[in-house]
Amino acid sequence: MSKLNKITVYGKNSVITILKFSTRKILKIFLLNERDKEIIPDKYQNYIEINKKKFSIKSDIAHQGFAILVDPIKHYKLTEISENEKNICVLDKIYDKRNLGSIIRTLAAFKITSLIINKRDYDQSNISMLKSSSGAIEFIRIYPVSNINTAIQFLKKKNFSIFGFDGSAKEIIYNKEIYQDKNVFIFGAENMGLRELTKRNCDLTLKIPIDERVNSLNISNAIAAFFGFYSS
């Protein structure tokens, strides 16, 4: 995960979110079409550049003719986790960047604002991730770490209960009595699940009950299913 000085974010929703909530320093707004200038708030009109070349990217991303050049988002260290933090999501491994963006969007939707991820799996400039997060990354505190299991041990010392999701677990998610005041929820890689060491470091493993004819859920769907229930 290299240090970045500036990032281009594509997509109408992402651009409008950054402008609306002033989450980053704005350097330039790129539009494909002149007519879209009316969507941009008056105080940002001087930042606009009509630039067709900017949208000739080698990607299948539906940019909608909107892009913005901004400072990188802030990343956090584990020592910066608030004493008042109640729920943290951890991704043990994630390879699909669109899935990661969808997960970030789901977390923001259900007010889970802290995400721990292996720094090797995370690139905040990835176009696919940024587009699929649809601006939601602006509301998530991201903690890139070198080792997930070291992070788990740190969180245990901070009195977090560690829950891992595994299809072979005996406990299902619907018993709300198992959840504590401070919880960490760990989800494993697509097609692989939790690594054995990560599983052993959990206080309890859980499963999301699904139709037995279906082998498993996509990780972003599993996270949406769980936090939809958990926040209800």
Side-chain angles (χ1 to χ4, degrees):
M1 189 179 67
S2 59
K3 185 174 178 61
L4 300 167
N5 294 319
K6 52 190 177 181
I7 292 174
T8 301
V9 180
Y10 289 87
K12 182 178 178 180
N13 285 343
S14 295
V15 171
I16 297 303
T17 297
I18 291 170
L19 297 178
K20 181 178 180 180
F21 294 98
S22 302
T23 51
R24 313 197 202 190
K25 181 180 179 181
I26 296 157
L27 305 173
K28 184 71 70 174
I29 300 167
F30 301 104
L31 299 177
L32 183 62
N33 299 303
E34 183 84 23
R35 65 176 181 271
D36 287 330
K37 290 177 69 174
E38 64 186 35
I39 297 174
I40 305 300
D42 290 343
K43 65 179 180 179
Y44 295 117
Q45 287 291 316
N46 291 337
Y47 290 82
I48 295 173
E49 178 182 310
I50 307 301
N51 188 328
K52 296 184 184 297
K53 185 177 180 180
K54 190 70 178 177
F55 297 95
S56 301
I57 53 176
K58 294 180 180 179
S59 172
D60 58 354
I61 296 299
H63 50 67
Q64 301 151 308
F66 287 77
I68 190 167
L69 185 67
V70 290
D71 278 355
I73 60 172
K74 179 183 176 181
H75 290 145
Y76 296 86
K77 298 178 181 179
L78 293 181
T79 52
E80 296 179 274
I81 293 175
S82 169
E83 290 294 326
N84 298 320
E85 184 62 82
K86 300 297 184 185
N87 298 293
I88 298 174
C89 180
V90 177
L91 299 180
D92 189 23
K93 268 290 181 182
I94 181 117
Y95 302 105
D96 188 308
K97 303 311 178 189
R98 291 196 187 195
N99 262 350
L100 177 55
S102 295
I103 290 166
I104 288 170
R105 190 175 185 179
T106 294
L107 295 178
F110 292 114
K111 298 182 179 180
I112 306 298
T113 57
S114 290
L115 172 64
I116 295 174
I117 188 170
N118 194 304
K119 62 176 61 177
R120 292 190 299 272
D121 301 331
Y122 173 69
D123 172 10
Q124 70 159 297
S125 67
N126 184 272
I127 294 173
S128 295
M129 180 199 70
L130 290 169
K131 181 62 174 64
S132 59
S133 78
S134 196
I137 196 171
E138 306 302 318
F139 311 120
I140 301 294
R141 292 170 64 96
I142 296 179
Y143 300 81
V145 298
S146 298
N147 187 292
I148 291 295
N149 285 291
T150 300
I152 292 171
Q153 297 305 321
F154 175 87
L155 293 166
K156 283 186 174 184
K157 292 177 182 178
K158 296 294 182 180
N159 299 315
F160 282 92
S161 295
I162 313 298
F163 297 92
F165 287 77
D166 181 70
S168 62
K170 294 181 179 179
E171 186 77 50
I172 63 173
I173 64 173
Y174 298 135
N175 179 12
K176 284 198 170 183
E177 293 182 359
I178 63 177
Y179 305 119
Q180 306 299 312
D181 291 335
K182 302 175 73 171
N183 304 290
V184 172
F185 301 106
I186 309 176
F187 296 84
E190 303 99 330
N191 303 319
M192 294 174 59
L194 292 178
R195 291 177 294 171
E196 283 303 314
L197 178 57
T198 306
K199 198 182 300 185
R200 290 198 299 271
N201 282 326
C202 293
D203 295 315
L204 185 65
T205 55
L206 305 172
K207 68 178 177 182
I208 301 170
I210 58 175
D211 191 301
E212 61 184 13
R213 295 170 296 180
V214 179
N215 183 46
S216 64
L217 289 174
N218 171 287
I219 184 174
S220 61
N221 292 335
I223 288 174
F226 172 71
F227 285 115
F229 158 75
Y230 183 74
S231 65
S232 64

